[in-house]
Amino acid sequence: MTGADEVPEAHREWRGWREATQEALYGPEGFYRTGPEGPAGHFRTSVHASPLFAAAVARLLCRVDEALGRPARLAFVDMAAGRGELVTAVLAALPAAVSARTRAYAVEVAGRPGGLDHRIEWLSEPPHGVTGLLFANEWLDNVPVEVAEVDAAGVARRVLVRGDGTERLGGPVAGAEAAWLARWWPLPGEEGLRAEIGLPRDIAWASAVASLDAGLAVAADYAHTVDSRPPFGTLTGFRAGRETRPVPDGSCDITAHVALDACASAHAARCAPDRTPPDALVRPQREALRALGLTGVRPPLALASTDPAAYLRALTRASQAAELLAPGGLGDFGWLLQPVGGVDAAALLVDVADDEEE
């Protein structure tokens, strides 16, 4: 067994998972600040799976534009922009008339990558007072949270962790964190049950939504709701395309699924008492993308005889769409659609004809 004097100094300190993850992901040598490949080098998101995803987001931006009466300046805000893949592709997919009015913002802790489209403004925080669409694809799952675990006496305690991933139980969960657990992730008194305390995500989401004067904010993420919380939590790591044990040393991504229902409620709570917030929606990704024109339907086989090149293009598109819509995969992501300023989120998710697909 390794002696205490053989453990690196940086790995000896016991901290809550929130503090440890914050440093491991966003510190000076953190996972999201190092490496030219960015997140795409370690895990596959909907953005990386297919350009159809960006085309669907561009279509949503156009619908928001129409709902807002085609403002002179239309914002597209890409939260947790990585290396700018989504915002770049959305700009490319927009009709010329909409693109000419669009102001694109990429929000990311890492520095601006070389060669990025000059139209994209690179920021560390979302811009305030803008009108349009804020899109957060797999952002909230990387907002660090505390982890709670029930001890032998049935008490929920904070889980402490060292830099090598070793855990132990700390003090009882108290205050606002205990209130959050009671409301959003009640833990029965069974030893070993765990939960991720999503309060920091609620705060981060409410702040992001508040940056919009009018429009729509969307969070697309691994998610669960209060009636289906996993009994042992979801904290995990990713490195080089593979799931791995979460170790807060900067070597891997650290992520946990998101309580999107709590996030939606947190924004409503921040609205003025005399103002009823517009209704938020939580929908599976497959439902949202289908409403935005993706079907995954294979082209007719007869097309292979009359136009083989067109058949192969359509088959590739159908295969990519199927991955984005797949049950048990990307299709199970949750989309939280939070309208601001009178926009009707439900009206934005309407069926479109197949010939509207790019």
Side-chain angles (χ1 to χ4, degrees):
M1 184 173 179
T2 302
D5 58 343
E6 297 178 52
V7 178
E9 184 65 33
H11 287 181
R12 294 181 187 175
E13 182 182 1
W14 292 101
R15 297 180 290 179
W17 266 106
R18 183 184 179 191
E19 180 184 349
T21 301
Q22 181 69 34
E23 182 176 329
L25 296 185
Y26 306 114
E29 301 299 321
F31 178 81
Y32 278 98
R33 291 189 183 274
T34 58
E37 75 283 354
H42 295 273
F43 50 87
R44 181 178 174 85
T45 73
S46 297
V47 176
H48 309 125
S50 168
L52 293 177
F53 186 80
V57 175
R59 188 173 290 115
L60 179 59
L61 177 58
C62 290
R63 293 185 184 182
V64 171
D65 181 46
E66 289 289 337
L68 293 171
R70 300 181 181 178
R73 293 172 63 93
L74 178 69
F76 177 67
V77 183
D78 181 10
M79 295 293 297
R83 297 301 182 263
E85 298 95 335
L86 177 62
V87 64
T88 299
V90 166
L91 281 177
L94 288 174
V98 179
S99 178
R101 291 183 287 109
T102 299
R103 301 296 180 267
Y105 304 92
V107 182
E108 180 57 67
V109 296
R112 182 187 182 96
L116 191 69
D117 190 320
H118 71 277
R119 295 174 295 172
I120 299 169
E121 188 171 348
W122 197 263
L123 304 170
S124 59
E125 298 287 342
H128 282 264
V130 298
T131 296
L133 174 63
L134 181 147
F135 202 92
N137 186 65
E138 295 195 43
W139 168 50
L140 289 173
D141 68 296
N142 287 128
V143 173
V145 293
E146 298 291 3
V147 178
E149 182 176 322
V150 179
D151 68 9
V155 176
R157 295 181 175 273
R158 288 175 66 223
V159 176
L160 305 181
V161 64
R162 296 195 309 192
D164 61 0
T166 306
E167 293 184 336
R168 76 178 187 194
L169 296 186
V173 177
E177 293 180 340
W180 190 94
L181 277 182
R183 170 66 180 86
W184 293 109
W185 200 327
L187 285 171
E190 180 181 336
E191 184 178 7
L193 295 182
R194 288 169 66 119
E196 291 102 29
I197 305 173
L199 184 60
R201 294 169 173 178
D202 296 355
I203 295 169
W205 178 245
S207 177
V209 176
S211 71
L212 290 175
D213 275 354
L216 180 73
V218 178
D221 232 312
Y222 299 97
H224 44 59
T225 55
V226 71
D227 58 351
S228 62
R229 305 286 191 225
F232 301 105
T234 61
L235 188 74
T236 191
F238 284 92
R239 182 190 298 115
R242 295 176 180 243
E243 190 168 7
T244 185
R245 185 171 73 99
V247 178
D249 61 359
S251 68
C252 67
D253 183 33
I254 298 173
T255 178
H257 294 198
V258 183
L260 287 180
D261 47 354
C263 292
S265 179
H267 169 68
R270 284 188 54 160
C271 289
D274 59 346
R275 177 184 168 202
T276 302
D279 290 336
L281 299 177
V282 178
R283 295 288 186 269
Q285 173 159 293
R286 74 178 67 86
E287 181 179 320
L289 290 181
R290 281 174 179 150
L292 292 168
L294 271 69
T295 66
V297 175
R298 294 169 64 94
L301 189 58
L303 184 62
S305 300
T306 59
D307 192 339
Y311 176 78
L312 287 175
R313 288 195 299 270
L315 190 62
T316 298
R317 190 163 59 242
S319 176
Q320 292 174 352
E323 181 181 1
L324 293 170
L325 301 170
L330 294 175
D332 285 348
F333 268 48
W335 277 35
L336 166 58
L337 297 96
Q338 196 103 48
V340 179
V343 172
D344 183 353
L348 298 172
L349 290 186
V350 295
D351 291 333
V352 296
D354 291 346
D355 61 7
E356 284 192 30
E357 285 194 22
E358 299 297 327

